[in-house]
Amino acid sequence: MENSVVRIGKERFAAGLFWQPVPTAAVAAREARIVAARAELAADLFCVRRRGVAQFGLAQRGAGHRPGMRAIAAVVANFLKETTWGGVFAVDDRWLYLSVRKGTVMPDGDILFDAEAEAQRHLQEESASGGWDVVFAPAGWQVPGSRSDDIVRLLSPLADARLRPVVRNTAVPILAGAGCVVVAAACVWFAVIPARQEIVAVPNVPAAPPPPPPPWQGQPSVGALLRVCQAAIEKTRFLPGFDVEAVSCGSGGVTATYHRRSGSIDWLPKNSLISSPDKVAMVTALPVAVAKRQGPETPGTLPALRRHIWGAAQTYSLDTEVAEQAPPGSAALPGRAAANGDAPGFRVITVSVGGKLPPSALSGLLAGISTFVVDEVVWQPMSWRVKGKAYVF
């Protein structure tokens, strides 16, 4: 079933691709083939976006995608002047959700919905975290401040991001010549070679698997996670007769711990986690999805990290901890071969920053650390703390 193909006018476009940024368009095809080799993706087609931010998108024939189709997400992104936007468009009796941040089509920013209600709910969840310059939505949805442009008017005429097979097929262009070569080789063999040569078996050496992605790739955006966690912590549920001790938040959800003041555990909600007569916890999911980090990141150095953290700590009266974790057995960066002696892998540095400033005020400091990953945001009465890891050379 061609459930990921939309027809607009006379042209059929590919939707529902998995998008990834690359340093340059020149390396996009190679990177696309490496990522497509992962069995869980089941990708047999890809495209390269050469206009704007260099990216590749992975597609599947099983979804109706065919070589030569243009990818609808890249077509619209190439047309719009705005670099950060998201929205839903009515296409071919279905609903297309697109999301672009800083000119990059997001990995989960190209989705085709069959049900209008599902598409509308998804747009509400994604737009709740903010950050978009423009929001597109059908006029009937009455989304405040949104635009209801017809997608037909947002299609770039450029022949960019066309699908092509992951596996190169070079047999067709040389098929006719190959037949002649085989006949000629056979004649030479029987006329010149006096005896049959022993065939030497070539060992079947398996191809090396693609290198694993770096640990920070695909993690939540630092700024987005801090904003979502702060909002979630500030809305911590009140429990009668119990006082809040601390609230922690991460990509996995929010955990609030309480101690009994004068209440009874009989008053608590059924989903409360009771560890003792005087201790209780509540666990909830994040209210909205958190945007993923985008673009390539290169680890810095430990001295530069310390200067960045300690300088800010002295300026804003922050309590900080910067410590190196014990090195794992092998921590070489993808693409750096230890066998060649070129193997000083990255080092894992735990970072903890706390004080009276809320996470939104710490966002600029922590988002400025390349490869920094937030583990949790913790609130205790009169203080906030952000804990995470940074990867450095």
Side-chain angles (χ1 to χ4, degrees):
M1 180 179 179
E2 297 187 354
N3 56 356
S4 293
V5 175
V6 296
R7 183 185 295 275
I8 302 177
K10 297 182 179 180
E11 186 174 0
R12 296 164 71 237
F13 295 88
L17 275 66
F18 173 71
W19 291 93
Q20 287 288 288
V22 288
T24 65
V27 302
R30 177 178 62 84
E31 295 294 328
R33 289 189 170 98
I34 291 175
V35 177
R38 301 176 185 172
E40 64 271 16
L41 296 178
D44 47 15
L45 296 170
F46 76 97
C47 66
V48 174
R49 183 183 173 205
R50 301 182 182 278
R51 304 279 179 172
V53 177
Q55 291 184 265
F56 67 80
L58 299 182
Q60 303 173 348
R61 294 179 188 269
H65 301 145
R66 296 294 181 267
M69 284 183 179
R70 289 197 292 166
I72 187 70
V75 169
V76 178
N78 289 344
F79 179 85
L80 290 172
K81 295 181 180 179
E82 294 83 3
T83 59
T84 300
W85 56 270
V88 172
F89 304 90
V91 290
D92 204 14
D93 296 328
R94 286 179 293 175
W95 309 89
L96 176 66
Y97 167 78
L98 298 176
S99 174
V100 175
R101 291 188 181 274
K102 296 182 180 180
T104 303
V105 181
M106 301 301 293
D108 57 352
D110 183 1
I111 306 174
L112 195 59
F113 293 96
D114 291 325
E116 179 179 0
E118 189 177 356
Q120 188 173 11
R121 182 172 58 254
H122 188 78
L123 179 64
Q124 291 173 345
E125 292 173 352
E126 292 298 314
S127 60
S129 59
W132 283 337
D133 298 331
V134 181
V135 176
F136 296 92
W141 291 7
Q142 298 182 348
V143 177
S146 66
R147 287 168 47 179
S148 55
D149 301 41
D150 189 336
I151 196 171
V152 175
R153 301 186 179 184
L154 305 181
L155 300 180
S156 168
L158 302 174
D160 190 22
R162 289 193 181 275
L163 297 184
R164 46 179 159 157
V166 169
V167 178
R168 298 184 180 93
N169 185 5
T170 58
V172 175
I174 64 173
L175 189 57
C180 296
V181 171
V182 170
V183 173
C187 294
V188 172
W189 175 267
F190 289 109
V192 178
I193 305 300
R196 185 175 181 180
Q197 301 288 329
E198 182 181 357
I199 299 175
V200 180
V202 178
N204 183 17
V205 180
W216 56 86
Q217 183 174 314
Q219 294 292 328
S221 163
V222 173
L225 183 57
L226 292 182
R227 290 192 299 270
V228 171
C229 278
Q230 180 177 336
I233 290 174
E234 290 173 347
K235 295 179 181 178
T236 298
R237 184 174 181 176
F238 167 76
L239 298 182
F242 288 77
D243 294 328
V244 179
E245 281 187 345
V247 187
S248 64
C249 172
S251 57
V254 183
T255 300
T257 57
Y258 303 79
H259 67 270
R260 191 177 74 89
R261 175 172 31 86
S262 58
S264 168
I265 59 176
D266 290 335
W267 304 348
L268 299 177
K270 297 297 183 182
N271 59 341
S272 302
L273 303 177
I274 303 172
S275 57
S276 74
D278 297 318
K279 295 285 185 180
V280 63
M282 292 286 292
V283 179
T284 57
L286 291 178
V288 297
V290 182
K292 302 295 184 182
R293 62 207 307 138
Q294 52 187 301
E297 298 180 57
T298 302
T301 64
L302 181 55
L305 173 66
R306 286 171 171 164
R307 183 181 183 90
H308 181 78
I309 294 292
W310 291 342
Q314 293 170 346
T315 301
Y316 300 107
S317 300
L318 302 175
D319 173 28
T320 63
E321 297 177 11
V322 179
E324 183 172 2
Q325 285 188 358
S330 176
L333 280 172
R336 298 179 66 89
N340 296 333
D342 178 39
F346 54 73
R347 300 152 69 183
V348 184
I349 309 300
T350 58
V351 176
S352 176
V353 179
K356 295 184 178 181
L357 293 179
S360 57
L362 299 174
S363 176
L365 165 66
L366 298 174
I369 305 173
S370 181
T371 72
F372 179 71
V373 177
V374 177
D375 289 333
E376 65 173 344
V377 179
V378 180
W379 175 88
Q380 290 180 306
M382 303 302 292
S383 70
W384 293 85
R385 181 166 293 276
V386 179
K387 301 178 182 179
K389 293 186 289 291
Y391 300 88
V392 302
F393 285 128

